[in-house]
Amino acid sequence: MSLTKLFRYIETLQVKQGEKVSLKKYDTDYDHKMMDKAEGEATLKRGVERLSEMQGKLYADNRYRVLIILQAMDAAGKDGVIKHVMSGLNPQGVKVTSFKTPTITELEHDYLWRHEIELPPRGEIGIFNRSHYENVLVTRVHPEFILNENLPGIKTIKSINEEFWKKRMEQINHFEKNLTENGTVVMKFFLHVSKKEQKKRLLERINDPTKNWKFSIGDLHERALWDKYMEAYEKMLSATSQKSAPWYIIPADDKWFGRLAIAAIIYKTMEKLDMSYPVLNAKQLDELNHAKEILTKEKKQTEPK
């Protein structure tokens, strides 16, 4: 199977800047797969090896940092993506942050503060398992949460109107534009799972004792608001997919294919970066050759006759 077809397909998953998104037009289960599961998992393994090589160059080059954002409904497979796509990378250069309900301390700052302090340093990869986008997704479905931020002019739910959401998404765009202009490579993935598949996975969590801990009754409460969440996602994706920080809508019903698609997008994005290993100057090369000479002589002296 040629990877050309896969790379061509993943281009269709990118939300173009200014596009009005209708999630019904995007696959949850891509049924024209270029390979079967076994071949896909083997391809992913090779891809992770290539990503590991790129990670080494990213660290050595020390000019870029990579931020991967994962958003999805419950049970869509975010944890599995982190486990399988990032499995072969050096853990010292990867930081995963899972954002929960804001703490009292976090609420005393602007909503972007807790995300900014978790950004990776140059040369490293950061993964946000849920992110600042919760502030235009969960809060849009539950606007009462905004009242906890104690914002000027926002005293009741009625004061949280479309203009408020428009400004908040503009703030997010400005935040990410600043990141990208200063060397952060931002890739954003929405794992698009169907309601039918989510039901299947939630039942698996209930029926399998080893997965019971993953289930929360809150998952059912949020599932009942499915249509509201889909509307919130469509508005968010339409407003915040930028050329420099694009959204990709990943078919997530088949976990293995979704993981492969994400790995391919990360690979193709990092491949375009102008990265290189540092070039030594004349003095450093002399020191290198001198060290080699010392070590070579040392080996000859210590080897048994």
Side-chain angles (χ1 to χ4, degrees):
M1 194 284 304
S2 173
L3 288 175
T4 303
K5 289 184 179 180
L6 175 62
F7 291 142
R8 191 178 297 131
Y9 174 69
I10 62 176
E11 290 178 3
T12 69
L13 304 180
Q14 181 177 337
V15 178
K16 302 298 185 290
Q17 185 169 328
E19 175 186 345
K20 187 174 181 180
V21 173
S22 171
L23 287 174
K24 292 179 180 178
K25 296 180 180 179
Y26 282 85
D27 297 318
T28 59
D29 181 13
Y30 179 57
D31 58 1
H32 297 91
K33 299 181 181 69
M34 308 86 177
M35 63 190 86
D36 59 24
K37 183 177 180 181
E39 187 180 358
E41 290 179 342
T43 303
L44 176 60
K45 184 178 179 181
R46 293 194 296 271
V48 170
E49 291 172 356
R50 295 297 301 276
L51 286 176
S52 180
E53 294 171 7
M54 286 184 173
Q55 182 193 20
K57 188 177 285 188
L58 176 76
Y59 181 80
D61 185 76
N62 198 38
R63 286 183 299 149
Y64 298 99
R65 58 182 175 180
V66 173
L67 177 62
I68 296 169
I69 292 171
L70 301 175
Q71 287 288 154
M73 295 294 286
D74 294 316
K78 299 187 307 301
D79 291 341
V81 168
I82 295 169
K83 178 180 178 181
H84 292 274
V85 177
M86 302 300 164
S87 59
L89 304 186
N90 185 337
Q92 293 185 94
V94 180
K95 180 181 181 182
V96 180
T97 308
S98 298
F99 292 97
K100 307 295 183 182
T101 303
T103 65
I104 294 175
T105 300
E106 289 168 343
L107 286 170
E108 290 302 314
H109 297 267
D110 70 86
Y111 69 95
L112 290 170
W113 176 78
R114 66 174 182 154
H115 305 284
E116 188 162 11
I117 61 176
E118 296 296 340
L119 290 169
R122 294 190 189 279
E124 297 188 12
I125 298 172
I127 302 170
F128 283 1
N129 184 352
R130 299 192 187 276
S131 67
H132 42 289
Y133 283 99
E134 293 291 282
N135 297 279
V136 290
L137 291 169
V138 174
T139 54
R140 190 163 195 145
V141 176
H142 299 281
E144 64 274 15
F145 293 165
I146 292 291
L147 301 180
N148 295 331
E149 296 181 26
N150 201 28
L151 297 171
I154 304 296
K155 295 182 178 180
T156 65
I157 292 177
K158 288 184 179 180
S159 58
I160 306 170
N161 53 25
E162 282 300 316
E163 186 62 24
F164 172 86
W165 298 116
K166 180 182 176 183
K167 285 183 178 179
R168 178 152 286 198
M169 287 189 280
E170 287 174 352
Q171 291 163 0
I172 290 174
N173 285 338
H174 291 153
F175 170 65
E176 292 179 353
K177 184 180 180 182
N178 180 59
L179 293 179
T180 58
E181 288 180 350
N182 286 278
T184 304
V185 180
V186 180
M187 288 172 271
K188 304 179 292 193
F189 300 100
F190 169 54
L191 277 63
H192 190 22
V193 69
S194 66
K195 193 174 184 180
K196 179 181 178 181
E197 179 64 21
Q198 190 204 45
K199 176 182 177 180
K200 175 186 170 185
R201 295 180 188 179
L202 291 176
L203 284 172
E204 285 175 356
R205 292 181 177 183
I206 293 171
N207 295 329
D208 185 346
T210 66
K211 295 182 179 180
N212 287 170
W213 63 274
K214 289 185 175 183
F215 182 79
S216 167
I217 196 64
D219 297 343
L220 284 186
H221 296 156
E222 297 307 290
R223 177 178 167 81
L225 301 169
W226 185 276
D227 290 343
K228 288 187 177 182
Y229 270 107
M230 292 303 103
E231 182 181 0
Y233 267 107
E234 287 178 342
K235 290 180 177 180
M236 179 274 288
L237 292 164
S238 300
T240 62
S241 191
Q242 303 296 305
K243 206 169 188 179
S244 58
W247 274 105
Y248 295 89
I249 301 177
I250 305 297
D253 281 3
D254 258 343
K255 294 179 181 180
W256 69 266
F257 188 76
R259 293 163 186 166
L260 179 61
I262 289 174
I265 292 167
I266 296 172
Y267 170 78
K268 292 297 287 183
T269 302
M270 292 184 68
E271 187 182 41
K272 296 174 185 176
L273 299 179
D274 178 24
M275 295 189 299
S276 59
Y277 290 103
V279 177
L280 301 184
N281 57 37
K283 181 181 178 182
Q284 290 171 322
L285 285 172
D286 285 343
E287 291 175 346
L288 203 67
N289 290 327
H290 182 56
K292 180 180 178 180
E293 184 179 341
I294 293 173
L295 290 171
T296 303
K297 289 180 178 179
E298 179 183 278
K299 182 179 179 182
K300 290 180 179 178
Q301 291 170 357
T302 56
E303 281 180 351
K305 296 181 180 179

